[in-house]
Each structure stands twice: as C-alpha cells, then as structure tokens.
Amino acid sequence: MRLAAALTLCLVATGAAAQSPDAPVLVGQTGRSHDGPPSVADVAYESRLRASYASAQAFQGPLDGAWTLSGEGVGLYGFKLVDRGAGVVEGAWRDLRRVGALAGSGFVDDIRREGGVLTLRFGRAVVSLTGGYGDAWTGELAEAGSRRPVTLRKDPL
C-alpha cells in the first residue's frame, strides 16, 4: 500500500500521471490550460475585438504609436504619440536617461508637421526632424543650450 501511494505521488509530481479533464491545473504545469477550448461565442467575440481594433487603427495617422529619440546610439527620449489625422497630433514624453525622476516626463507642448519637417517642443527641449521615410526621422535636438544630431524611430509593436 505504501509503495502504491509513493508511486502515485511521484507520478503526480512529475506530471506523468494521466489527468482527467476535471483535474485542477497546477501552477507549474505546462501544456495545459485551466480553460477548455474556446467556444464559438468566444472566437466570434475575439474576432470582433480584433476587427474593431484594426478599424480604429486605420483612422490613425502615420505618427501614431510609440517612438524613441536616439543620439549617438543612446536612447534619449521615449514618446507616445496619438495622430488623429488631419494634422492633429498629441503626445507624452519620457526622459530615458532619468528613469523615475519627477521632472523626467510630461506632455509634449507642441507638435507641428509642416511639409517634410516635424517639430516637437517639450520641457526645455526642441526637436526638429526631417525625412519621415518609413518609420524614421533624422534631425537635431536642442536642449540645455546645446545641439546634437538625433534619430526618431518608431518602436516595434
């Protein structure tokens, strides 16, 4: 009797025991889900959510999303921009060099896109960029009385 109990414990601990569909799923157990397969209603709901998301994204302009401003291969600022199209762009910034600093983030004061030039004013910095080919802009960051070359790239999804 003792040998059978020990063998059962070993099988359960290693996951080698056959599990009934109603058996609970343990935290460390891989290859099993606490849910069964999705129902037809679940699949339809998820499909509607994905279609709604894709539809909303189709109305967004090309600047919509997360961006990183880098200079000399170092991330300087992170941006989250909302491009509603028709020239209306809003956003927030975060200084990647001062993570957690109280004054290390805020809203972008002004974003202007005129022709092939994109200008962002935030905090005590001004970024002037040109290009916009694909998901990259190049230009100059002016802050604290100095200027440096920078690149603004869209973050991967």
Side-chain angles (χ1 to χ4, degrees), residues 7 25 29 39 53 67 71 97 107-108 112 116 120 127 140:
L7 183 57
V25 178
Q29 208 168 7
S39 68
Y53 176 79
W67 296 79
R97 300 161 294 179
F107 292 106
V108 179
R112 294 189 189 267
L120 295 96
V127 180
E140 186 176 75

Side-chain angles (χ1 to χ4, degrees), residues 54-148:
S55 176
Q57 286 300 105
F59 287 107
Q60 302 300 319
L63 292 174
D64 194 74
W67 296 79
T68 299
L69 185 72
S70 301
E72 299 171 359
V74 177
L76 304 172
Y77 291 98
F79 295 95
K80 298 287 184 181
L81 302 178
V82 177
D83 185 349
R84 299 179 186 177
V88 179
V89 182
E90 299 173 331
W93 61 273
R94 181 172 52 103
D95 189 336
L96 301 177
R97 300 161 294 179
R98 298 186 302 153
V99 176
L102 292 177
S105 63
F107 292 106
V108 179
D109 300 318
D110 187 39
I111 302 173
R112 294 189 189 267
R113 184 173 183 183
E114 297 170 343
V117 178
L118 176 66
T119 305
L120 295 96
R121 296 178 191 280
F122 57 97
R124 291 180 271 154
V126 177
V127 180
S128 182
L129 304 159
T130 58
Y133 304 108
D135 292 331
W137 295 75
T138 58
E140 186 176 75
L141 167 67
E143 75 177 335
S146 66
R147 297 181 179 278
R148 66 177 4 180

